[in-house]
Amino acid sequence: MGLLGPNGSGKTTILRILAGYLRPSAGTARIAGLDVVDDSLAARRCVGYVPEDVPLYGGMAVREFLGFMGRLKGLTAPGLSGAVSEAMHRLRLEQMHDVQIGRLSRGYRQRVAIAQALLGNPALLILDEPTNGLDPRQIIEMRELIRSLGGERTILVTSHILGEIERVADRIAILLDGRLLGVHALRGSGMAQRLRVRIRGDDQHVRTCLARVPGVTAVEAEGEPAISATTYVVDADRSVGEALATAVVGNGFGLLAMEPAPVDLEALFLRLTAQRTEAAR
């Protein structure tokens, strides 16, 4: 799950509330059904957290640091040693086990930070700007690592760089000024979807037909409407493909093609922020 937004939109604040570093002044937040205030310790046991500026002990060796963090999380022998070894293996840190953290490159320090977050096998892994300050090769490696970890747990990752989130996330949430503008699926199943549909029929009647399908939130034509056929991009808040096809054919229009439409994050972000700006006027 990618959390997107410009600097100052509230991304890091949300993560700190979920991780227990900040207390919300209003409202509630829950992790696995646990309130982050009323059930703070239990909620935090479900979370592995890697802040943007990772506070590591530079004088400790990698294995020493991970053992220390494991004990802070309540791990004890013999499970502690196995958990540390598994985390080092997942992050490819075995060869660095006796190297002081202060002597590691930025990329390896980031790996150490993620390794400590994985100790205790948390259900939620929170990564705040994980590629910030990395070189191009390290960024590519970090993307691959995040994708590999995502099949076993939920990962919430933030960035103000749209392209980075687009490469690793299955779903994205867009924030602006502390408000949620929308949640959209990039791949797989999600809370929202986009379909590209090519239809033969009168443009105005086709638009009306599509807009009436339950779950459809927006209909836009790609290019100018044509007599032969027009391609529409349809936004929906749930799976509506079958209902959409039934409505089109049932109203006598020609359904020529239907396929998923990849989300253009830049266009989506501009559209949502523009809508928010207009609504605030």
Side-chain angles (χ1 to χ4, degrees):
M1 177 69 158
L3 194 58
L4 281 170
N7 291 331
S9 61
K11 302 187 300 297
T12 296
T13 298
I14 287 177
L15 300 192
R16 289 176 177 172
I17 289 174
L18 293 176
Y21 280 77
L22 287 179
R23 186 184 183 93
S25 56
T28 59
R30 293 184 176 87
I31 297 173
L34 300 167
D35 190 283
V36 297
V37 175
D38 297 336
D39 303 298
S40 179
L41 287 177
R44 278 184 272 175
R45 290 190 186 100
C46 299
V47 177
Y49 179 43
V50 181
E52 181 177 1
D53 296 313
V54 186
L56 302 175
Y57 292 101
M60 283 186 170
V62 172
R63 180 177 284 277
E64 177 188 11
F65 171 74
L66 293 177
F68 171 68
M69 295 301 295
R71 288 190 293 273
L72 286 180
K73 295 185 178 188
L75 300 179
T76 58
L80 174 60
S81 178
V84 169
S85 295
E86 181 180 356
M88 291 179 62
H89 175 71
R90 290 298 305 271
L91 277 299
R92 301 201 295 271
L93 290 167
E94 293 98 333
Q95 293 182 344
M96 302 293 176
H97 71 97
D98 59 349
V99 178
Q100 284 188 336
I101 293 175
R103 297 182 178 179
L104 296 175
S105 68
R106 172 70 184 236
Y108 270 111
R109 290 199 303 272
Q110 195 77 333
R111 287 179 178 273
V112 172
I114 296 177
Q116 67 79 25
L118 291 177
L119 294 173
N121 195 29
L124 173 63
L125 181 61
I126 297 176
L127 305 176
D128 192 3
E129 302 282 358
T131 60
N132 188 31
L134 301 184
D135 65 35
R137 178 178 292 277
Q138 291 169 339
I139 290 174
I140 294 172
E141 292 175 349
M142 187 58 61
R143 287 180 200 146
E144 295 173 351
L145 174 62
I146 293 171
R147 292 293 299 173
S148 70
L149 294 173
E152 304 168 8
R153 58 185 54 80
T154 298
I155 297 181
L156 181 59
V157 56
T158 72
S159 179
H160 60 278
I161 302 175
L162 302 183
E164 288 304 312
I165 293 294
E166 191 171 21
R167 288 176 171 85
V168 299
D170 298 311
R171 293 187 299 157
I172 53 102
I174 298 178
L175 293 175
L176 180 66
D177 297 331
R179 294 183 179 274
L180 180 66
L181 300 184
V183 179
H184 294 264
L186 298 183
R187 54 181 67 85
S189 60
M191 295 180 64
Q193 66 169 341
R194 285 167 63 84
L195 294 172
R196 180 173 285 107
V197 189
R198 187 161 179 78
I199 300 172
R200 183 174 57 246
D202 177 75
D203 175 60
Q204 190 59 49
H205 289 94
V206 169
R207 287 175 181 267
T208 301
C209 170
L210 297 177
R212 287 177 177 172
V213 176
V216 170
T217 57
V219 178
E220 297 179 4
E222 283 192 343
E224 293 296 323
I227 297 177
S228 57
T230 303
T231 300
Y232 300 88
V233 176
V234 178
D235 290 342
D237 59 12
R238 52 191 172 85
S239 180
V240 298
E242 184 176 353
L244 205 66
T246 299
V248 170
V249 175
N251 281 273
F253 305 120
L255 178 59
L256 306 184
M258 180 185 296
E259 62 183 1
V263 176
D264 184 336
L265 281 186
E266 290 187 0
L268 177 63
F269 184 84
L270 291 173
R271 176 164 59 83
L272 289 177
T273 53
Q275 291 175 350
R276 174 67 186 165
T277 301
E278 287 295 327
R281 289 178 179 175

